[in-house]
Amino acid sequence: MGKIITVGREFGSGGREIGRKLAEKLRFAYYDHEIVVEIAKRTDLATEYIQSVEEKRPFPLMNITTGHSFWASSNPVMDQQLEVLKTESVIIKEVAEKSDCVIVGRCADYVLRDKDPFRIFLYAELEYKMKRCRERGNDPKEMSDRELQKHMMQIDKKRAEYYAFLSGQKWGAKENYDMCINTSTADEDKIVNSIAELYL
Amino acid sequence: MGKIITVGREFGSGGREIGRKLAEKLRFAYYDHEIVVEIAKRTDLATEYIQSVEEKRPFPLMNITTGHSFWASSNPVMDQQLEVLKTESVIIKEVAEKSDCVIVGRCADYVLRDKDPFRIFLYAELEYKMKRCRERGNDPKEMSDRELQKHMMQIDKKRAEYYAFLSGQKWGAKENYDMCINTSTADEDKIVNSIAELYL
């Protein structure tokens, strides 16, 4: 079994970049958007659609297992959404078998819970995340500060709901992770080194 | 102004040892029980009494500032308790001025919030903490597992209440810290190196 590091992250905290640098440092494979592309290949669905499914929980009150038996074949839209989630789980498990890897987001810490992943969560103050979004052009349609703040909070809310839907646990609660870092504390390289120091 | 690292910790997570090793590595002064001894010197109170005050919030519904103006001179026991807390704050600020330091517990992160401390929180699964307590003889009176669990949870509850009383914030919520580490993840030296890597 390969070594697995999962990276949960608040939107704008820099999780993607830190995950990639960590993978480079450790010479691990890196998976983020690659998983969406692979789901698209297997399901013949558009990557945009897959991302939209990832960003909402498909059924409000049940988790992925109990949910399926209830509404399978009664709701084609939900069936398709569930297919995306199931394919995602399959792919995450496949890539984790293939080689040592860093996986960003997608509840990988929960999906791979039986394989003892090293679970990181990255977060930061809102002001820092907003500044970072502005600098990187991740603020769609020239939003006002208030609009950007709302946009960011909505994305995190969806991530939290998706995580709760799959795992029944609270997204970002430190008890579910091995290490949580406020990314406004230090630069990316220091954060990567600090994670590697604890992990290796 | 000196460099300051504060270490919040769940009972049994190893915060004291990690804090001490971190201070040694960085050649910072280390403060933990030393603060209690200094309060005892200045107030002429017994260290046991001071520790008992630290482990409970002296007034249920107000913080240290508003509380004082309300019940000063109306309740000698509470006045004495508040005196302990105020002396503690004064000493924490004094030692932080004197040299670079690591301070364990005692809401130092909040007391020193204007001095931009590097704020760590250490936690672990209950099972790990219980095993650690047993190994170190920190399980008073040969407690049963259930009794030890209750004992540990009570101490953490008191720490949380003390923190909430002083700061109005939630003890152990990652948003109040720069880095949170699950101490069952790695050995003490790795944890110390990881903190130093992020901080330096």
Side-chain angles (χ1 to χ4, degrees):
Chain A
M1 194 182 70
K3 294 171 183 166
I4 304 159
I5 299 179
T6 61
V7 182
R9 75 296 180 217
E10 289 179 355
F11 183 76
S13 67
R16 183 173 294 183
E17 289 72 12
I18 291 164
R20 184 178 289 120
K21 284 191 176 185
L22 181 65
E24 278 171 14
K25 182 181 174 76
L26 302 177
R27 303 187 181 209
F28 282 19
Y30 171 79
Y31 298 101
D32 180 5
H33 190 69
E34 293 78 358
I35 292 171
V36 174
V37 174
E38 186 60 30
I39 299 170
K41 269 191 209 164
R42 297 191 192 184
T43 58
D44 227 15
L45 295 166
T47 55
E48 292 75 12
Y49 173 76
I50 293 161
Q51 274 176 312
S52 80
V53 174
E54 281 187 327
E55 282 169 4
K56 64 183 172 198
R57 51 177 183 174
F59 206 70
L61 291 171
M62 342 191 130
N63 72 19
I64 195 164
T65 322
T66 55
H68 186 253
S69 59
F70 180 73
W71 48 262
S73 81
S74 66
N75 184 327
V77 173
M78 284 193 176
D79 272 1
Q80 198 174 56
Q81 290 180 350
L82 195 65
E83 192 57 34
V84 168
L85 298 186
K86 288 194 147 186
T87 308
E88 183 167 87
S89 284
V90 168
I91 293 169
I92 287 171
K93 285 176 184 166
E94 280 178 15
V95 300
E97 282 294 329
K98 215 157 40 177
S99 69
D100 299 341
C101 62
V102 173
I103 305 176
V104 173
R106 297 173 179 80
C107 304
D109 57 309
Y110 182 77
V111 172
L112 299 171
R113 64 194 178 282
D114 297 334
K115 298 181 188 300
D116 195 25
F118 186 72
R119 304 156 302 165
I120 296 161
F121 191 86
L122 303 173
Y123 62 102
E125 284 82 21
L126 185 63
E127 199 177 322
Y128 171 84
K129 294 185 290 187
M130 286 176 72
K131 187 166 171 279
R132 211 177 153 282
C133 275
R134 296 277 192 215
E135 285 167 2
R136 294 175 176 254
N138 291 338
D139 49 337
K141 296 180 206 154
E142 295 183 6
M143 290 176 167
S144 68
D145 276 0
R146 196 170 171 169
E147 285 167 338
L148 179 58
Q149 185 174 337
K150 199 176 163 193
H151 172 69
M152 296 174 73
M153 288 174 74
Q154 274 174 341
I155 292 177
D156 279 351
K157 188 165 177 273
K158 284 173 180 173
R159 287 180 181 175
E161 285 176 349
Y162 182 63
Y163 190 82
F165 171 77
L166 276 179
S167 72
Q169 295 177 342
K170 194 180 169 200
W171 181 73
K174 70 179 188 305
E175 291 71 21
N176 300 326
Y177 305 92
D178 298 305
M179 185 183 208
C180 304
I181 298 180
N182 181 332
T183 56
S184 64
T185 298
D187 66 36
E188 285 176 1
D189 289 334
K190 278 192 182 184
I191 293 170
V192 167
N193 290 341
S194 174
I195 296 169
E197 194 68 47
L198 190 67
Y199 177 67
L200 288 176
Chain B
M1 194 182 70
K3 295 172 183 166
I4 304 159
I5 300 179
T6 62
V7 182
R9 76 294 181 220
E10 289 179 355
F11 183 75
S13 68
R16 182 173 295 182
E17 290 71 13
I18 291 165
R20 185 178 289 120
K21 284 191 177 185
L22 181 65
E24 278 170 15
K25 183 182 173 77
L26 302 177
R27 303 185 181 210
F28 281 20
Y30 171 79
Y31 298 101
D32 181 4
H33 190 68
E34 293 78 358
I35 291 170
V36 174
V37 173
E38 185 59 30
I39 299 171
K41 270 191 208 162
R42 296 191 191 183
T43 58
D44 226 14
L45 295 166
T47 55
E48 292 75 13
Y49 172 77
I50 292 162
Q51 273 176 314
S52 80
V53 174
E54 280 188 328
E55 283 169 3
K56 63 183 172 198
R57 51 177 185 173
F59 207 70
L61 291 172
M62 352 191 120
N63 72 18
I64 196 164
T65 323
T66 54
H68 186 252
S69 60
F70 180 73
W71 49 261
S73 80
S74 67
N75 184 327
V77 174
M78 284 192 176
D79 272 1
Q80 197 173 55
Q81 290 180 351
L82 194 64
E83 191 58 32
V84 168
L85 297 187
K86 289 194 147 186
T87 308
E88 183 167 87
S89 284
V90 168
I91 292 169
I92 288 172
K93 285 175 185 167
E94 279 179 16
V95 299
E97 283 294 328
K98 214 155 44 174
S99 69
D100 299 341
C101 61
V102 173
I103 305 177
V104 173
R106 297 173 178 81
C107 303
D109 57 308
Y110 182 76
V111 172
L112 298 172
R113 63 194 178 283
D114 297 335
K115 298 181 187 301
D116 196 25
F118 186 71
R119 304 156 302 165
I120 297 161
F121 191 86
L122 303 174
Y123 61 102
E125 285 82 22
L126 185 63
E127 200 177 321
Y128 171 84
K129 293 184 290 187
M130 285 176 73
K131 187 167 171 279
R132 211 178 153 281
C133 276
R134 296 277 191 214
E135 286 168 0
R136 296 178 174 251
N138 291 337
D139 48 336
K141 297 179 207 156
E142 295 184 6
M143 289 176 167
S144 68
D145 275 0
R146 197 169 169 171
E147 285 167 339
L148 178 57
Q149 186 175 335
K150 200 176 162 193
H151 173 69
M152 295 175 73
M153 289 175 74
Q154 275 174 342
I155 292 176
D156 279 351
K157 189 166 177 273
K158 284 173 180 174
R159 287 180 180 175
E161 286 176 349
Y162 182 62
Y163 190 83
F165 171 78
L166 276 180
S167 72
Q169 295 178 342
K170 194 179 168 201
W171 181 72
K174 69 179 189 306
E175 291 71 20
N176 300 326
Y177 306 92
D178 299 305
M179 184 184 209
C180 303
I181 298 180
N182 181 332
T183 55
S184 64
T185 298
D187 66 36
E188 285 176 2
D189 289 335
K190 278 192 181 184
I191 293 170
V192 167
N193 290 341
S194 174
I195 296 169
E197 194 69 47
L198 190 67
Y199 177 66
L200 288 177

